Amino acid sequence: MYFDGKGVPKDYAEAIKWLHRAADQGQALAQNSLGIIYFEGDGVPKDYVEAYKWFNLSAAKGIAIAINNRETASQQMTTEQIAEAQKLSREFQLRSELNSENSIVTATGFFITGDGYLISNYHVVKDATKVRLLSGAGLIDAKVVQVDAANDLALLKADGKFSPLPISPSKSAQLGGTVATVGFPDIGLQGFAPKLAKGEIASLSGAGDDPRYFQVSVAVQPGNSGGALVDERGNVIGIVSAKLDASVALAASGALPENVNYAVKSSFLLSFLESVPDVDAKLEAPNTADEKFSDVVKSARDAAVLVLVY
């Protein structure tokens, strides 16, 4: 009514305020209306990226006119602008998801096959009633296929086509070797963009000389659990799993630990996957040639996915 001046003086600012309140709560028709406002520049600067974002969100709820409006907007946009608008749509969806649920755990996973099998930690999904992933296509459902509680591993499956990482036996790793992980730590503070952390293998065994783990100097935080630990060739040699409990270490030694983190060795992952022949047969062959670190990071980033556990 404020937008059209029906029964009240026409007031774009007031109209936009109320449309935003509705659109922010997921009201699909309000989202489409906001898209029109930003596309036309009525009461706001013309902004095709913002318009596409709102059309895209409305279209995802099946609003036919929003689907047509999104197509119209895309014809005025560059590929980069469309990609940015799609990213904003995904982030909006995720914020809405986080705000609507009281008990969501977030972590990291990584794809190991092109058809949607991925790995995360058992401790991430053990109490899950539902698992979703934030991918390039937005929020998608995933299911837990199989777990190895003893080694803190979980195999999940999502529908779609993805960029997998190759897995190399961990026996190839050496003390002091460079390793990295790309994950989604502490998204409430740091945001939804994937974060890179780089370090070295500090020990070939974990806490108490546990042979299943590497100790790594890679800086990890809550949310990194389940991420791929890759070597200099881009092969997975571990799965980020835990950090040394600061309170336990303080009680035992009188000092706080610094950057003491652990990753499950990939050899245990490969043994776990042998029990799922359909997956084992689809694994990528390990990389044998040296790669530029920037290429290693890109591959790890493309395979990484934010895991939401309900």
Side-chain angles (χ1 to χ4, degrees), residues 231-256:
D231 63 14
E232 293 178 289
R233 291 179 172 174
N235 296 313
V236 176
I237 60 167
I239 302 90
V240 175
S241 181
K243 62 189 304 175
L244 186 62
D245 188 295
S247 61
V248 172
L250 181 62
S253 66
L256 288 170

Side-chain angles (χ1 to χ4, degrees), residues 93-104 310:
Q93 285 181 309
L94 182 54
R95 287 193 183 92
S96 298
E97 196 85 0
L98 294 173
N99 290 335
S100 67
E101 300 283 346
N102 295 320
S103 55
I104 294 181
Y310 303 77

Side-chain angles (χ1 to χ4, degrees), residues 193-224:
K195 307 296 188 298
L196 168 70
K198 183 181 180 183
E200 294 79 35
I201 295 177
S203 175
L204 296 176
S205 57
D209 292 325
D210 191 330
R212 297 172 299 167
Y213 293 87
F214 291 122
Q215 179 183 323
V216 295
S217 64
V218 176
V220 300
Q221 301 166 63
N224 276 117

Side-chain angles (χ1 to χ4, degrees), residues 120-144:
S120 191
N121 288 136
Y122 167 71
H123 78 259
V124 169
V125 303
K126 66 177 182 178
D127 297 319
T129 57
K130 180 173 71 171
V131 180
R132 305 190 80 189
L133 312 174
L134 183 65
S135 72
L139 282 170
I140 58 175
D141 292 328
K143 63 180 180 180
V144 178

